[in-house]
Amino acid sequence: EDASTDIVIIGAGGAGLSAAIEATNQGVKVIVVEKNGFMGGNTNYATAGMNAAYTKYQEEKGIKDSPELFFEDTMKGGHEKNNPELVKVLTGESAETIYWLEDLGAKLSEIGATGGQSADRTHKGPEGMAIGPHLMDVFTKQVENLGIEVRLNTKAVDILSEDNKATGVKVDNKDGNTYNINAKAVIIATGGFGANAELVTKYKPELEGFGTTNQPGATGDALVITEKLDVDLVDIKEIQTHPTVVPKINELITEGVRGDGAILVNREGKRFIDELETRDTVSKAILSQDGKTAFLVFDQQVVDKTSAIKKYKDAGLLTEASSIKELAEKLKIDVNGLEETVNTYNEYVKKKEDPEFDRRTLPLEITKASFYGVEVAPAIHHTMGGIKINNNTEVINKSGNIIEGLYAAGEVTGGVHGGNRIGGNAITDITVFGRTAGKNAATAVKNK
Ligand code: ADP
């Protein structure tokens, strides 16, 4: 049966739910449709944290940072392909969005690092809890408290429109019923297409045969259903691989492991790159090693620091040993090579300088048993390109005009990350722009 509402939101991931919460708080009626039988999409898998500058938590810890520095790092990490206007919004509103999330119940006071950043600004979940599940707990409670209607197992198959104005969505539910949800505004928050091998290889043939870290529903439906509205796409060929994914089982090992002190070595037991380089650079370096894989090596201190890392141990993903020698034997890599590498690396940590690769932070010596290792390789992770939006998250068509009543936020959009996304910037993206979409759509609805 057809339904009607003020705003219909497609996708119940972090972007869609941020929009839903913000719009509901503005006093308008929202319906969220989600094709999966559960909420969270790829947001459920987000591990590292949320980048923000300059927060009171950074200040308390004496970390020097600013939105301008965050802007520069994000542009540089994205090879300057990013839309600077969007990056200004991302970085400028990052700190206040941390406080907005805390008002909803999140705890984001712990800080770590990911690759490609010149200051520690990755705000983590409590006790190093993975950020995605933490925020999804917070969002789920808000959905209940605010009485937001989320229709699960309900897939958007078309966007309704009249005279180049979005007027709702057509959906299929799991019982095979098709109906319309009429609305005054539509927000697209369907995530990326990293699980759609056909689309991925169409845009980037060299990723043929790669694994993916994406949830199976990340198929890029929005690219199809917005086609008839002549929606413009940006950077669509920019597809990121995450450098440290366990081959075959596609389990992602968070960048936080390297941020906390892990090194990367090849089969000779040798380091080959600044482990905290950006994802594209580290991915490329791994693929040029013998066997096209590498090994993360770290000690008990790193495991004790972060609950996300403990989980990998509990899940049996890590090879554990009582000495570096034993670890190398178990990993079947060069024993002398690894021993020498670890000794040299520990000297670098003591001197706070890495003359070989100029690693940007050297948090810990690798000295405390047990020692751990895990084999990793790059896998498809994030689609940087997508629907073109302006600063207000309004969707832009190929003639450069906005499509009235149509908004988009999150991984489905392009322009924020340019040619390479910095770890920890996805959560900032989906919450900052999800909120913007919710706020602006609500204001437009109220002014009608
Ligand atoms: P973001 O990080 O941008 O919020 P996520 O991957 O976390 O992206 O969330 C996107 C959500 O949208 C996922 O839960 C996904 O299943 C859902 N989704 C994707 N396509 C559709 C569709 N056609 N109809 C309804 N939901 C969809």
Side-chain angles (χ1 to χ4, degrees):
E1 198 180 321
D2 287 0
S4 67
T5 183
D6 289 324
I7 302 176
V8 60
I9 298 174
I10 315 173
L17 294 177
S18 295
I21 291 164
E22 191 67 48
T24 304
N25 284 334
Q26 307 268 330
V28 304
K29 166 125 179 65
V30 167
I31 296 178
V32 184
V33 296
E34 166 56 55
K35 71 175 175 183
N36 285 334
F38 54 90
M39 299 192 287
N42 273 348
T43 303
N44 285 325
Y45 300 157
T47 50
M50 170 165 169
N51 294 336
Y54 171 67
T55 66
K56 60 184 179 191
Y57 303 116
Q58 290 176 301
E59 191 175 5
E60 275 165 21
K61 294 181 175 69
I63 298 164
K64 289 207 171 61
D65 198 9
S66 67
E68 291 73 28
L69 191 59
F70 184 13
F71 174 91
E72 278 170 32
D73 286 344
T74 301
M75 293 297 298
K76 188 166 169 239
H79 311 308
E80 311 285 334
K81 283 187 184 167
N82 329 45
N83 175 339
E85 296 300 317
L86 295 177
V87 178
K88 237 172 249 167
V89 176
L90 177 89
T91 53
E93 292 182 13
S94 59
E96 64 181 80
T97 306
I98 291 265
Y99 308 140
W100 178 74
L101 289 165
E102 290 198 323
D103 284 342
L104 302 179
K107 293 203 167 52
L108 299 165
S109 61
E110 286 181 36
I111 297 179
T114 63
Q117 302 195 75
S118 48
D120 285 358
R121 63 168 74 96
T122 308
H123 294 66
K124 305 197 209 185
E127 286 148 41
M129 184 181 171
I131 190 79
H134 176 54
L135 290 186
M136 282 310 301
D137 284 347
V138 169
F139 290 149
T140 303
K141 279 205 191 88
Q142 289 297 324
V143 165
E144 281 164 25
N145 292 348
L146 298 172
I148 296 172
E149 185 177 345
V150 179
R151 299 191 178 188
L152 298 176
N153 299 305
T154 303
K155 178 179 174 178
V157 292
D158 201 5
I159 292 177
L160 307 172
S161 64
E162 262 167 43
D163 307 330
N164 200 39
K165 241 187 260 173
T167 58
V169 297
K170 183 177 177 182
V171 297
D172 276 352
N173 70 12
K174 70 158 185 278
D175 306 321
N177 297 320
T178 301
Y179 61 93
N180 291 340
I181 303 177
N182 300 305
K184 295 171 189 140
V186 176
I187 300 175
I188 305 169
T190 47
F193 59 94
N196 187 334
E198 202 178 309
L199 263 190
V200 165
T201 47
K202 172 178 158 192
Y203 293 125
K204 205 167 176 179
E206 63 265 40
L207 293 181
E208 167 113 53
F210 271 59
T212 180
T213 64
N214 285 256
Q215 64 110 357
T219 45
D221 302 2
L223 303 180
V224 177
I225 62 177
T226 58
E227 219 166 300
K228 68 166 200 245
L229 290 167
D230 216 23
V231 163
D232 204 4
L233 302 179
V234 288
D235 298 336
I236 199 71
K237 293 185 175 164
E238 301 296 346
I239 299 170
Q240 175 175 72
T241 57
H242 190 292
T244 60
V245 179
V246 182
K248 295 194 184 80
I249 56 172
N250 287 326
E251 279 285 344
L252 181 151
I253 306 291
T254 179
E255 218 161 316
V257 175
R258 279 171 284 145
D260 284 349
I263 58 170
L264 266 176
V265 299
N266 59 21
R267 285 183 163 66
E268 292 160 25
K270 292 200 173 118
R271 290 175 67 222
F272 50 88
I273 183 107
D274 166 10
E275 288 84 353
L276 294 171
E277 257 294 354
T278 51
R279 289 175 171 177
D280 53 344
T281 305
V282 178
S283 292
K284 222 186 210 163
I286 292 175
L287 291 175
S288 59
Q289 303 308 308
D290 193 20
K292 294 185 167 45
T293 68
F295 301 83
L296 281 166
V297 170
F298 48 99
D299 73 358
Q300 190 63 40
Q301 301 174 86
V302 175
V303 173
D304 290 342
K305 221 158 137 182
T306 307
S307 66
I309 300 173
K310 268 190 215 103
K311 275 202 198 115
Y312 304 136
K313 187 183 166 185
D314 298 341
L317 293 173
L318 307 181
T319 299
E320 185 175 350
S322 57
S323 67
I324 292 294
K325 178 170 182 277
E326 190 195 355
L327 184 65
E329 283 165 359
K330 284 188 171 172
L331 294 174
K332 297 189 176 67
I333 63 178
D334 193 279
V335 175
N336 292 337
L338 186 65
E339 281 184 325
E340 202 181 298
T341 297
V342 170
N343 287 337
T344 311
Y345 177 77
N346 289 344
E347 286 306 309
Y348 297 165
V349 177
K350 272 192 209 119
K351 290 186 196 131
K352 294 189 170 37
E353 203 194 334
D354 168 13
E356 264 180 294
F357 302 105
D358 206 16
R359 179 174 162 132
R360 56 202 79 193
T361 65
L362 296 153
L364 287 172
E365 290 177 57
I366 301 171
T367 48
K368 190 177 168 212
S370 297
F371 299 96
Y372 298 90
V374 55
E375 186 174 3
V376 291
I380 296 157
H381 187 53
H382 189 96
T383 47
M384 272 82 66
I387 291 175
K388 184 169 185 179
I389 55 167
N390 63 17
N391 281 1
N392 302 323
T393 67
E394 292 166 299
V395 172
I396 310 295
N397 69 16
K398 292 201 177 93
S399 324
N401 300 316
I402 63 165
I403 298 168
E404 213 182 302
L406 192 60
Y407 302 80
E411 193 176 347
V412 72
T413 67
V416 176
H417 307 293
N420 174 64
R421 178 171 69 76
I422 297 275
N425 269 5
I427 295 292
T428 318
D429 176 14
I430 65 181
T431 53
V432 166
F433 289 100
R435 274 187 86 192
T436 304
K439 218 184 295 178
N440 290 334
T443 306
V445 163
K446 284 196 278 187
N447 289 341
K448 264 195 184 160

